[in-house]
Amino acid sequence: MIKNYDTVKNLLASSNGLAVVQTTLPSQAVVIAKGLLEKGVKAMEIAYRDKNNYDGSDECIRAVRDAVPEMLIGAATITNPYLARRAIKAGARFILTAGFNPSTVKYCVKKHFPVFPGVSTPGEIECALMYKLDTLKLFPVKLLGGTEYLKTLSGPYPDVNFIVTGGVNAENAEDYKKCQNVLCVSGSFLCK
């Protein structure tokens, strides 16, 4: 069993969205976290996107965790166990992967750390279910078919919930929130 998995899921469900934050400056990450809380958004992810695997993301997570402890802070675009290990050490409360990478998922599960792997197909959903993960990041949701795709997935996977991202914006977020299998919406639009 993954420690705090249900707690993190519940916090995400009540967070008013998961803000995608792309900054390498800890001071900026703290300002963004405080601004999000003022808007009622209680969860954010720091994206690891530097091809050299060092971009300041660790420091951003650490700064937010220390300065804004009421913010649920996660690490995203985690593509390998090395980045997962760094994010956990920096103080992330959960991991989001870009796609379904078995080695990253295994690492997080072995560490009993909350992980929400990225999926886009039924096959990837079933791989995640083998690890007893029932909440997944659906990416890129808009290109996959949006709310219609989510409705289709609810048939064969009634107990799976999704963090939806990739084409979610201020105009369509409410439509996604109405889907019974959406845990929360995610996107950079929440930072605006």
Side-chain angles (χ1 to χ4, degrees):
M1 184 67 181
I2 296 176
K3 191 167 83 176
N4 298 323
Y5 187 63
D6 289 333
T7 300
V8 171
K9 287 191 316 186
N10 291 336
L11 289 169
L12 284 169
S14 64
S15 67
N16 289 322
L18 173 60
V20 176
V21 177
Q22 296 180 56
T23 184
T24 58
L25 303 171
S27 59
Q28 187 177 40
V30 169
V31 168
I32 292 169
K34 289 177 179 177
L36 287 168
L37 284 176
E38 286 175 13
K39 289 177 27 179
V41 177
K42 302 174 202 158
M44 67 186 275
E45 62 180 61
I46 298 291
Y48 281 69
R49 294 197 176 158
D50 176 39
K51 64 181 179 178
N52 297 318
N53 288 333
Y54 187 80
D55 63 2
S57 298
D58 298 348
E59 289 81 7
C60 288
I61 289 172
R62 203 170 282 115
V64 170
R65 186 82 190 252
D66 291 345
V68 194
E70 59 274 30
M71 175 59 72
L72 179 64
I73 182 78
T77 323
I78 300 299
T79 57
N80 57 59
Y82 168 72
L83 290 178
R85 184 170 37 256
R86 280 183 38 200
I88 292 167
K89 188 175 179 183
R93 302 255 326 260
F94 60 95
I95 298 288
L96 292 153
T97 67
F100 191 88
N101 181 326
S103 63
T104 304
V105 172
K106 277 184 201 175
Y107 175 81
C108 292
V109 170
K110 184 178 177 185
K111 293 287 183 185
H112 305 285
F113 196 81
V115 60
F116 304 100
V119 299
S120 58
T121 67
E124 291 169 328
I125 293 169
E126 291 179 14
C127 286
L129 290 171
M130 288 173 44
Y131 290 95
K132 300 188 180 357
L133 299 173
D134 62 4
T135 300
L136 312 169
K137 179 175 107 173
L138 188 61
F139 172 79
V141 69
K142 183 177 179 184
L143 292 176
L144 294 169
T147 57
E148 289 302 313
Y149 189 56
L150 283 157
K151 289 174 190 170
T152 301
L153 291 174
S154 67
Y157 307 108
D159 298 325
V160 175
N161 289 304
F162 298 99
I163 299 165
V164 294
T165 189
V168 180
N169 56 49
E171 290 76 41
N172 63 20
E174 290 304 316
D175 293 333
Y176 285 108
K177 289 178 185 178
K178 291 176 186 171
C179 294
Q180 66 183 21
N181 53 352
V182 169
L183 181 79
C184 73
V185 297
S186 175
S188 57
F189 75 96
L190 291 164
C191 295
K192 295 184 172 121

